Amino acid sequence: MKKLYILLAVLASALVSCSDSFLEKLPQGNYVDGTFYVSDNALEAATAILYNRPWFEYNSGAVLGLSQLSNDCFGPWNDPQFNTFQVTALDGSLSSLWKSIYAVVTTSNSVIEACETKASAECTPEGIARAIGEARLMRAAAYFYALRLWGPVILFENNQDIVDNPLRPRNKEEDVFRFIIRDLEYASEYLPESWTKGRATKWAAKAILAKVYLCRSGWNGGLRNEDDLEMCKALCEEVCTQSGLKLLDNYEDLFKYKFNNNEESLLSMQWVPLGEWGTQNQMFSTWSFSEISGGVGCWGSPFAAVEMIQQYELSDSLRRNATFFTQFSHYPYLCIADGGYTYTKTETHIKKGAPGGPDDDNDGYCAPMNSPLNTYIIRLADTYLTYAEACLGNDEELTGGPGLEYLNKVRERARIKPVKSVTLDDIIRERRIEFCMEYSNWYDFVTWYKWKPAKILTMLSNQMRGGRYDKTTKDEDGELHYETYMPPTTEVIVTDDKMFMPYPENDVIQNPLLKAEPVSYDFN
């Protein structure tokens, strides 16, 4: 643990003194850590690091594990232990999640400390507050992920403190919520409504804050807290009606590189096309296969989880085919030079995250382990469905009002009929389909589990996990048919002790206090 935090703190201190190429403007001249923060442009360059390097290990094989946990997909050769809830404290992908989340925390802390102590008089108060707002937003996003992966986690705001005293106990979940909310409130106050394309805005902060309040409202089980629900609804209403943002017309466009930083993208990890190691989206080779990669090296794609693909209504082919390759689906934006690509295989592979090859498909911006696609942290459709769930609240059914209206906007974009009422089961299904293979569905399952544990444990245990159909065909009506089932080797029963991840063993050895009871965080 001490070695981890010292390494992360040193790297964070070094990384905030450089920038990455998604910025349009870079400061001129040679800068060192003590003299880098000489203008608002320099502050903007310094915060660029928050959008990629510290997230790199998270956005590698680790996110495939998250997709397996939520049963979006099943890869018998790609971390299948997540799909079957057999993850141990020695798991490498688990360790990558932990390290990357704390890399975001330490990098954010370094940015905040540098802005507060090293910014020159030429930096405006607005520029300093904006840079700090970016860092606090990213720190909050990292801790919100951590809370829903492990529950109690270690909170800290000063890297030197953790280097000097790395043996820290975990902090209570209610304090983790409070910490996240405090950061997001700052970010929502000091971030602008719009600025450099791809940069965090106050709408991103408010959208994540709405999800935090919804999550906290039911975290202790029983009835959801009405005050938290009201806060969530108010924030969603702001984002939906005051931001001026709207959904993209075409769902498929969300997952094309030319639509990176689209209007619907509230916050995303910004990867540098063909960037150096640590700044690129290395998931290209995991999701792609040779027929669509344009000759770029790849090693195949995991399969759609059978239970997941069965969630789609027959008419919901737009979202289904944007997420999974199903037999006879045609993609005019893949293999453009050949007139498009028609998928004819009987296996159902992952489409989302497989952008095609270089050349016409992606203007040359593809290489082995190097995709041009950004990674969404939150997009506007998430706020629409969060609004619906908050409006449902503790009721059995939502039959009208703005929540239902915005849920139907998501369905209408998918070219399927609006609904007149929804239950929690309907919202769960809608969210799972809309965000499938975007690495977010497991976090929602944890939120629902903390509110209704028996319901979610039963749901997860009744899913078909750890097996797959080797042959899926499509009839002339578009209906899928499944043959040649390959069952799991063991039955998957999900219990309470499986819902949160173990702490990485190496960190527990170096910091035995990870096994101690959580303590209150000193907010002074």
Side-chain angles (χ1 to χ4, degrees):
M1 174 68 76
K2 183 173 183 179
K3 292 178 181 177
L4 169 63
Y5 286 131
I6 290 174
L7 175 61
L8 292 179
V10 170
L11 286 175
S13 178
L15 291 174
V16 297
S17 298
C18 60
S19 65
D20 284 306
S21 59
F22 93 98
L23 288 173
E24 296 176 358
K25 294 181 290 185
L26 297 176
Q28 300 299 311
N30 296 318
Y31 295 92
V32 295
D33 191 49
T35 60
F36 185 78
Y37 305 89
V38 296
S39 68
D40 285 358
N41 281 348
L43 292 174
E44 187 175 340
T47 56
I49 194 66
L50 295 167
Y51 294 83
N52 49 46
R53 283 185 190 268
W55 291 106
F56 179 67
E57 283 197 78
Y58 181 93
N59 193 73
S60 58
V63 290
L64 176 54
L66 296 178
S67 297
Q68 297 242 43
L69 272 172
S70 57
N71 210 30
D72 290 1
C73 67
F74 176 62
W77 307 283
N78 306 86
D79 285 338
Q81 69 277 12
F82 282 85
N83 188 268
T84 55
F85 290 89
Q86 295 176 315
V87 180
T88 72
L90 296 173
D91 192 273
S93 292
L94 175 75
S95 179
S96 292
L97 285 170
W98 177 267
K99 286 191 294 184
S100 193
I101 283 172
Y102 274 106
V104 177
V105 171
T106 54
T107 305
S108 299
N109 289 345
S110 288
V111 168
I112 294 167
E113 189 270 339
C115 288
E116 291 176 339
T117 63
K118 298 175 183 177
S120 73
E122 284 72 29
C123 296
T124 66
E126 294 79 13
I128 294 171
R130 186 177 64 192
I132 293 173
E134 285 183 278
R136 293 186 72 164
L137 172 61
M138 287 300 192
R139 184 170 68 183
Y143 270 130
F144 193 33
Y145 284 149
L147 173 69
R148 292 171 292 170
L149 285 171
W150 290 284
V153 289
I154 300 170
L155 298 171
F156 62 97
E157 301 167 75
N158 186 294
N159 292 342
Q160 191 59 46
D161 288 346
I162 205 76
V163 171
D164 294 341
N165 182 22
L167 299 182
R168 297 287 187 100
R170 301 170 298 164
N171 294 110
K172 295 178 179 179
E173 291 170 350
E174 58 263 34
D175 286 347
V176 181
F177 272 114
R178 181 181 170 190
F179 190 103
I180 293 168
I181 289 170
R182 186 186 62 166
D183 272 353
L184 291 173
E185 287 177 340
Y186 182 98
S188 65
E189 180 175 357
Y190 290 105
L191 286 174
E193 293 188 7
S194 64
W195 58 312
T196 304
K197 193 173 183 180
R199 288 285 188 164
T201 66
K202 70 165 46 185
W203 306 120
K206 287 178 180 289
I208 298 175
L209 185 54
K211 283 182 68 77
V212 173
Y213 275 118
L214 180 65
C215 182
R216 192 176 74 166
S217 71
W219 194 257
N220 295 319
L223 293 177
R224 276 180 156 165
N225 181 279
E226 291 292 345
D227 290 339
D228 283 345
L229 289 175
E230 289 302 316
M231 288 294 296
C232 175
K233 286 188 282 187
L235 288 160
C236 288
E237 193 274 337
E238 274 193 76
V239 176
C240 292
T241 65
Q242 297 181 31
S243 68
L245 302 174
K246 61 181 181 179
L247 303 182
L248 280 186
D249 290 335
N250 186 347
Y251 183 79
E252 285 184 300
D253 288 345
L254 289 164
F255 315 105
K256 300 174 184 176
Y257 118 84
K258 294 177 183 179
F259 288 84
N260 278 348
N261 300 319
N262 59 75
E263 188 174 16
E264 186 175 336
S265 177
L266 292 169
L267 186 67
S268 62
M269 301 171 197
Q270 304 278 331
W271 304 110
V272 181
L274 304 183
E276 64 184 34
W277 189 259
T279 69
Q280 91 282 18
N281 183 349
Q282 69 165 334
M283 295 303 287
F284 178 88
S285 298
T286 301
W287 302 135
S288 299
F289 49 90
S290 58
E291 288 89 337
I292 62 168
S293 69
V296 176
C298 54
W299 43 79
S301 170
F303 302 94
V306 177
E307 183 270 343
M308 180 65 235
I309 203 166
Q310 290 174 339
Q311 300 300 306
Y312 291 82
E313 301 169 39
L314 180 60
S315 59
D316 199 355
S317 59
L318 179 63
R319 289 192 293 186
R320 184 189 66 191
N321 293 340
T323 307
F324 299 111
F325 284 106
T326 59
Q327 193 181 39
F328 307 131
S329 297
H330 181 69
Y331 300 88
Y333 55 90
L334 300 181
C335 305
I336 293 174
D338 299 325
Y341 173 72
T342 299
Y343 185 79
T344 58
K345 296 181 180 181
T346 57
E347 305 100 338
T348 305
H349 285 292
I350 310 301
K351 162 61 185 74
K352 199 178 285 187
D359 303 325
D360 293 345
D361 293 4
N362 294 283
D363 296 335
Y365 292 126
C366 289
M369 302 184 73
N370 208 313
S371 166
L373 295 177
N374 287 343
T375 301
Y376 291 111
I377 295 176
I378 191 167
R379 53 185 176 89
L380 188 60
D382 197 335
T383 303
Y384 284 11
L385 297 182
T386 297
Y387 201 179
E389 190 172 339
C391 288
L392 173 67
N394 292 301
D395 296 331
E396 292 295 321
E397 189 176 33
L398 179 65
T399 57
L404 186 63
E405 174 189 345
Y406 280 97
L407 179 143
N408 276 325
K409 288 181 183 291
V410 175
R411 291 179 60 84
E412 288 164 3
R413 192 260 298 275
R415 311 294 188 260
I416 54 178
K417 292 181 179 179
V419 292
K420 295 181 179 179
S421 64
V422 288
T423 64
L424 177 61
D425 286 339
D426 296 326
I427 291 174
I428 289 174
R429 181 178 180 180
E430 198 67 48
R431 289 195 66 92
R432 291 187 66 197
I433 291 170
E434 178 70 19
F435 305 113
C436 184
M437 295 309 303
E438 294 180 50
Y439 323 134
S440 62
N441 280 344
W442 177 248
Y443 296 116
D444 289 329
F445 270 122
V446 173
T447 294
W448 296 318
Y449 161 77
K450 290 294 291 183
W451 177 30
K452 293 181 176 290
K455 175 184 180 67
I456 298 305
L457 289 177
T458 299
M459 181 182 293
L460 293 173
S461 296
N462 287 339
Q463 293 174 343
M464 186 180 291
R465 286 178 171 267
R468 63 183 176 89
Y469 282 102
D470 201 37
K471 185 176 182 181
T472 303
T473 58
K474 186 188 297 181
D475 63 26
E476 60 184 11
D477 295 321
E479 191 81 48
L480 298 179
H481 301 274
Y482 308 96
E483 304 175 41
T484 321
Y485 180 58
M486 304 177 68
T489 55
T490 58
E491 185 179 14
V492 179
I493 302 296
V494 186
T495 52
D496 289 297
D497 61 320
K498 301 291 187 182
M499 289 302 297
F500 286 95
M501 295 292 99
Y503 298 93
E505 181 67 18
N506 190 52
D507 293 275
V508 174
I509 291 172
Q510 296 185 63
N511 179 15
L513 292 180
L514 280 170
K515 290 185 175 180
E517 286 298 308
V519 300
S520 298
Y521 182 72
D522 183 4
F523 282 92
N524 292 323

